[in-house]
Amino acid sequence: MKLTSSLNQFIVLAKIAETGGLSSAARELGMTPSAVSKSLSLLEEQLGVLLVRRTTRAVTLTTHGKMFFQRVSRILADVEDALDEVGDLRSQTKGDLHISCSIAFGCSQLVGIISRYKERYPDVNIHISLDDRLVNLGEENIDIALRITDATDGPYAARMLTQIRWVYCATPQYLEQHGRPQKPQDLKPQNHQLLVYPAMTNGGAWTYWHKGTVEQIKINASLECNSSLALLNFTLAHQGIACLPTYVADKHIKNGEIEVLFPDYQAASLHTLYAMYFQSRYKNPLIRTFVDFIRDDLKDCDWGRL
């Protein structure tokens, strides 16, 4: 392979992966769809493997395509890094940064993070889209998605930011009125109101770690809601005992508004907050500075230890 033609083919493959289609890749690259298709075919012929699976509805990377795309992304990132250094683009952290974030994390934590980031990079204009679905970054013009998930495969790089636990908690007022349970088995429906997040139940049970083993307790929900923010507000209104993510609950725990129950019984779910982005775009100063900043900003948080 000649270096110039190889780089061009790598760029075409990366753009197909990022945009999810040959026509959309052609539009962004200023090429014709036939030229994009020819470039892809030549690359597949040279490698001797199928990189992209085409159907009438979608274009997806094959297993070989995903592996090769990850390597190509790193190569293109190195090339872009070299160009940035030569052009002194590292210092040009200005422009528009588009971020997607889940609603609960965005409402409870993102204001402080963005405020601190803007103090350091005042020339960056932040555009935030709060949405609980994992958006398609290429189709929706998103630079970075902040997501709490364990599904990190796919066309995106996933930078781990911090771990997040869930805790059982209630207000002191509720506990004074209904009694203070010492273990999950004390949560009888005749004694306590349970505020339940559906995704944290397994067959109508709460699952937790206790002395190195996994245990479950069947629960009867007094109130069920798919919003951890809403459950927090119900908890603060003394309506019952909830299992909440620490990034939502930590401020209220630290100021004494709610108390953590069963410190020896930890909710089994330990989730991870990731920053997701296209690896080939990481050397863009806007993306790089924000990902590096938020990871450093969250390095000392105790959401995984509460």
Side-chain angles (χ1 to χ4, degrees):
M1 291 187 185
K2 292 183 178 180
L3 179 59
T4 302
S5 60
S6 297
L7 284 175
N8 289 336
Q9 290 168 352
F10 294 170
I11 292 170
V12 169
L13 177 65
K15 193 60 66 176
I16 291 171
E18 292 177 5
T19 62
L22 272 64
S23 296
S24 53
R27 284 194 299 271
E28 291 204 16
L29 292 170
M31 300 170 62
T32 64
S34 60
V36 167
S37 179
K38 182 178 179 180
S39 174
L40 174 62
S41 297
L42 287 173
L43 182 59
E44 290 178 326
E45 183 179 341
Q46 290 167 334
L47 295 173
V49 295
L50 186 68
L51 299 174
V52 171
R53 185 177 294 107
R54 314 179 202 188
T55 68
T56 56
R57 293 188 175 183
V59 172
T60 58
L61 295 179
T62 64
T63 301
H64 288 105
K66 290 179 181 178
M67 294 173 59
F68 190 69
F69 171 66
Q70 291 176 351
R71 297 293 296 271
V72 164
S73 295
R74 290 195 288 270
I75 293 170
L76 293 178
D78 288 341
V79 172
E80 187 173 349
D81 190 25
L83 293 173
D84 285 353
E85 289 179 357
V86 172
D88 197 26
L89 293 179
R90 289 182 180 275
S91 63
Q92 298 181 17
T93 308
K94 59 180 64 176
D96 296 303
L97 181 66
H98 297 262
I99 299 170
S100 172
C101 182
S102 66
I103 296 171
F105 188 85
C107 291
S108 61
Q109 298 295 333
L110 203 55
V111 173
I113 293 169
I114 295 298
S115 298
R116 293 187 289 273
Y117 176 79
K118 290 278 286 181
E119 287 179 3
R120 187 176 301 180
Y121 303 102
D123 294 328
V124 178
N125 304 315
I126 307 291
H127 304 265
I128 300 171
S129 175
L130 297 184
D131 198 320
D132 285 334
R133 64 189 176 88
L134 179 56
V135 300
N136 184 306
L137 305 188
E139 289 181 358
E140 303 189 37
N141 191 33
I142 298 295
D143 298 306
I144 300 168
L146 300 177
R147 280 293 175 268
I148 299 168
T149 180
D150 293 324
T152 58
D153 56 347
Y156 310 131
R159 184 93 169 264
M160 189 183 82
L161 301 177
T162 187
Q163 290 187 318
I164 296 166
R165 284 202 174 276
W166 291 63
V167 292
Y168 304 105
C169 52
T171 62
Q173 293 91 324
Y174 171 87
L175 297 173
E176 289 174 8
Q177 182 177 354
H178 296 273
R180 188 180 303 274
Q182 300 302 309
K183 55 187 182 300
Q185 289 80 359
D186 295 337
L187 300 178
K188 306 298 183 183
Q190 63 269 27
N191 297 329
H192 290 285
Q193 308 294 312
L194 302 186
L195 313 177
V196 175
Y197 187 75
M200 287 299 293
T201 61
N202 182 8
W206 272 343
T207 305
Y208 51 87
W209 289 93
H210 179 56
K211 295 182 178 179
T213 62
V214 178
E215 300 178 5
Q216 284 188 336
I217 179 174
K218 287 287 185 180
I219 59 173
N220 293 295
S222 172
L223 183 144
E224 188 175 78
C225 181
N226 66 346
S227 167
S228 57
L229 281 178
L231 287 178
L232 169 66
N233 288 326
F234 280 113
T235 304
L236 292 171
H238 323 303
Q239 295 300 301
I241 295 173
C243 188
L244 297 174
T246 45
Y247 69 84
V248 166
D250 67 335
K251 178 179 72 172
H252 306 279
I253 293 169
K254 289 171 181 174
N255 67 21
E257 290 180 282
I258 55 180
E259 296 182 17
V260 174
L261 302 172
F262 325 132
D264 295 330
Y265 298 78
Q266 294 186 336
S269 292
L270 179 61
H271 297 158
T272 304
L273 174 67
Y274 291 95
M276 294 184 171
Y277 49 90
F278 286 116
Q279 182 66 49
S280 60
R281 299 181 185 177
Y282 177 67
K283 297 306 179 181
N284 178 327
L286 291 173
I287 296 175
R288 188 188 68 249
T289 57
F290 185 80
V291 173
D292 291 348
F293 175 87
I294 190 172
R295 188 176 188 189
D296 185 65
D297 193 63
L298 296 179
K299 68 180 181 181
D300 294 325
C301 75
D302 54 5
W303 297 336
R305 297 191 296 271
L306 273 176

